[in-house]
Amino acid sequence: MNQAVSAFLSGHGFAQHMDIEAVAKGMLFDMANGLSGKKSDEDMIRTWSNPPKNKVKSKSVIVIDAGGTNFRSCLVSFDADGNASISEMEKTKMPGVEKELSRKEFFDKFAENLEHLKNKSDSIGFCFSYPMEITKDGDGILLGFSKEVKAPEVVGAQIGKSLADALVEHGWNRPKSIKLLNDTVAALLAGAAANTGNVYSSYIGLILGTGLNAAYLQPVIEGNPDFKQPQIVVCESGKFNRVLQSDFDKAVDAKTVKPGTFWMEKSCSGAYLGPISYQALTAAAKEGFISEKAAAKILSLESLTLIEVDQFLHAPYNAESTIGKILAENGKDSDYEFVFGVLDAIVERSARYAAAILFSAVIQTGAGADPTKPVCILCNGTTYHKTYKIADRVKGYLEELLTRQRGLYWDIIAVDNDITLGAAIAGTI
């Protein structure tokens, strides 16, 4: 049956057990180009900031987390000892996901979503999880949307200034400070502030959820005026396009808002793993790799989500899941093994790409040689933490490629409310 899975996947240009190191080397080449101002897939965005050396104390910050499918907002208060508390949390839909919005409509919707926090702080930490050019005053100029957000007039806008203007129109006092950051930077800052009892040599933030991205702490680059001091760099890893696209990837890409872009993200993030799986299973059903009755039921499906794929991978014989029910009622034993093999290959590729991103980021930090001071990696995102074996596989690949082969040490950690706390810290920098 493994032969059938391999034959099917290779016949559609899907690379099983992709070479992590080869991909990482390609990313390192691309990263070096981006840092030096040459053409690159990844934006390599300068943030002009570093993790604060001291705890934030006696300060309240309004936090906005806008990215993926959700828009979250709350108030984070740091007490005199630096302990953080979160209050007045609200969650709603991300503007521009359900329908296209004009620039004014987009920011007016933001202001409406923030009404419960009106004038409760003059500082805002704004986690805006889309490609931005960060200015030296902490604002962000939107380079483009990903994750299927539809608000083209917002591209090129100063996000912080535009939000401040909208808030004033809605009766707010003008905020004294709005600091823009990416969710990867928020993750990195939360990792740097975590009280783990360890000393770290550098920091990385990885997001593998609806979308995909990474940030890391770039050391000084001799001869590069932008890097006279260390600073956090946002890679925009999802934009890396030097990856192999299978027929399934191409079919999904063609239906996205921006086909031909974000190939890395579309290969392994949560927004796309379900559709890729759907393309693969329907192709297998048409080509006779799945028994006739089960194939007919699979072809009657209109879509598959990552949740449905993950349910099957965690419990193939659970007849309450979408795929499990089809196979229980219509399939043969061979169908279970084949379908499992195909879906497992798709999520395993996601783990390999995530490992390649982290491999390149650790190398780029120039840190981790001292086992008592590893590189701190904070991983965020339901795709990373909940999807079948992804987290375990990433750790296994890094253990082999970084630690055993190169003597570089790292520590993957998790922090409750990491993006919220990281954004609040950014709002005080």
Side-chain angles (χ1 to χ4, degrees):
M1 184 52 63
N2 286 335
Q3 293 175 354
V5 171
S6 295
F8 170 70
L9 293 175
S10 62
H12 286 275
F14 187 99
Q16 283 186 278
H17 311 305
M18 170 270 300
D19 188 328
I20 296 169
E21 185 172 349
V23 174
K25 286 180 177 178
M27 297 194 78
L28 284 165
F29 177 81
D30 190 68
M31 293 163 81
N33 281 344
L35 292 170
S36 63
K38 298 178 183 177
K39 180 177 174 55
S40 63
D41 292 343
E42 299 164 278
D43 294 321
M44 304 306 291
I45 298 166
R46 289 83 165 142
T47 66
W48 317 104
S49 64
N50 284 298
K53 294 181 179 180
N54 301 311
K55 282 187 175 183
V56 178
K57 298 180 180 180
S58 303
K59 176 77 173 177
S60 291
V61 182
I62 292 171
V63 168
I64 306 168
D65 179 10
T69 55
N70 296 315
F71 179 102
R72 298 179 179 87
S73 55
C74 65
L75 188 71
V76 176
S77 300
F78 297 93
D79 65 18
D81 295 320
N83 299 310
S85 61
I86 300 171
S87 62
E88 303 192 55
M89 173 71 78
E90 289 192 6
K91 182 176 79 171
T92 185
K93 290 282 188 181
M94 175 65 190
V97 170
E98 295 182 334
K99 67 175 184 177
E100 183 171 318
L101 300 177
S102 69
R103 178 171 168 173
K104 184 176 187 338
E105 289 171 334
F106 186 79
F107 288 106
D108 278 345
K109 189 63 179 175
F110 271 50
E112 292 171 13
N113 291 344
L114 295 171
E115 185 66 24
H116 65 294
L117 297 169
K118 182 182 286 186
N119 296 328
K120 293 191 176 179
S121 174
D122 58 10
S123 298
I124 298 177
F126 190 169
C127 182
F128 192 65
S129 302
Y130 303 93
M132 295 180 291
E133 176 187 345
I134 300 298
T135 60
K136 291 186 178 181
D137 64 356
D139 205 342
I141 299 172
L142 180 65
L143 300 176
F145 279 115
S146 58
K147 306 167 193 171
E148 310 306 301
V149 172
K150 299 172 282 295
E153 291 181 9
V154 181
V155 176
Q158 285 185 267
I159 301 301
K161 181 181 182 301
S162 299
L163 175 62
D165 291 344
L167 293 177
V168 170
E169 286 186 8
H170 284 251
W172 287 57
N173 300 326
R174 183 172 288 274
K176 290 182 179 179
S177 172
I178 300 181
K179 294 295 178 68
L180 270 291
L181 71 157
N182 187 278
D183 50 3
T184 57
V185 178
L188 186 154
L189 291 173
N195 183 21
T196 65
N198 292 313
V199 174
Y200 295 111
S201 53
S202 193
Y203 299 94
I204 293 169
L206 174 77
I207 306 295
L208 181 54
T210 303
L212 167 75
N213 201 2
Y216 71 98
L217 190 57
Q218 170 64 46
V220 171
I221 302 176
E222 295 295 334
N224 189 325
D226 284 346
F227 292 96
K228 293 180 179 179
Q229 302 293 331
Q231 65 176 285
I232 300 168
V233 169
V234 178
C235 301
E236 291 304 333
S237 309
K239 296 179 76 173
F240 186 64
N241 268 16
R242 303 183 192 203
V243 297
L244 295 174
Q245 278 196 309
S246 68
D247 293 340
F248 320 131
D249 298 305
K250 292 174 183 176
V252 171
D253 178 48
K255 296 177 182 178
T256 60
V257 172
K258 292 183 178 180
T261 63
F262 289 88
W263 285 3
M264 177 69 91
E265 180 171 289
K266 291 172 183 175
S267 297
C268 60
S269 72
Y272 305 99
L273 290 179
I276 291 169
S277 299
Y278 176 77
Q279 292 294 330
L281 291 190
T282 53
K286 291 175 183 177
E287 294 168 20
F289 284 93
I290 299 172
S291 64
E292 186 175 351
K293 289 183 179 180
K297 289 295 183 179
I298 287 171
L299 290 172
S300 71
L301 295 173
E302 295 183 358
S303 65
L304 270 177
T305 66
L306 176 55
I307 292 173
E308 291 172 316
V309 170
D310 191 53
Q311 286 173 339
F312 177 76
L313 289 173
H314 273 103
Y317 293 93
N318 179 1
E320 294 182 4
S321 70
T322 299
I323 303 171
K325 179 178 174 62
I326 288 174
L327 298 186
E329 296 177 354
N330 306 277
K332 299 179 179 180
D333 287 346
S334 59
D335 292 326
Y336 281 94
E337 188 175 351
F338 178 85
V339 171
F340 186 94
V342 169
L343 298 182
D344 185 46
I346 291 169
V347 299
E348 197 260 353
R349 184 183 67 169
S350 177
R352 285 178 174 264
Y353 278 139
I357 292 167
L358 292 176
F359 179 108
S360 61
V362 169
I363 297 294
Q364 197 67 29
T365 66
D370 183 345
T372 70
K373 297 178 181 178
V375 176
C376 176
I377 303 171
L378 192 145
C379 293
N380 173 280
T382 54
T383 303
Y384 175 84
H385 286 291
K386 294 186 178 181
T387 302
Y388 181 74
K389 288 190 177 180
I390 283 183
D392 290 340
R393 284 168 165 165
V394 169
K395 292 174 183 177
Y397 300 145
L398 294 183
E399 181 68 25
E400 175 63 29
L401 293 171
L402 286 177
T403 305
R404 294 180 185 173
Q405 295 186 17
R406 288 169 178 77
L408 297 177
Y409 297 86
W410 47 274
D411 187 16
I412 292 181
I413 70 169
V415 173
D416 291 340
N417 302 305
D418 48 7
I419 303 303
T420 300
L421 295 176
I425 292 168
T428 69
I429 297 175

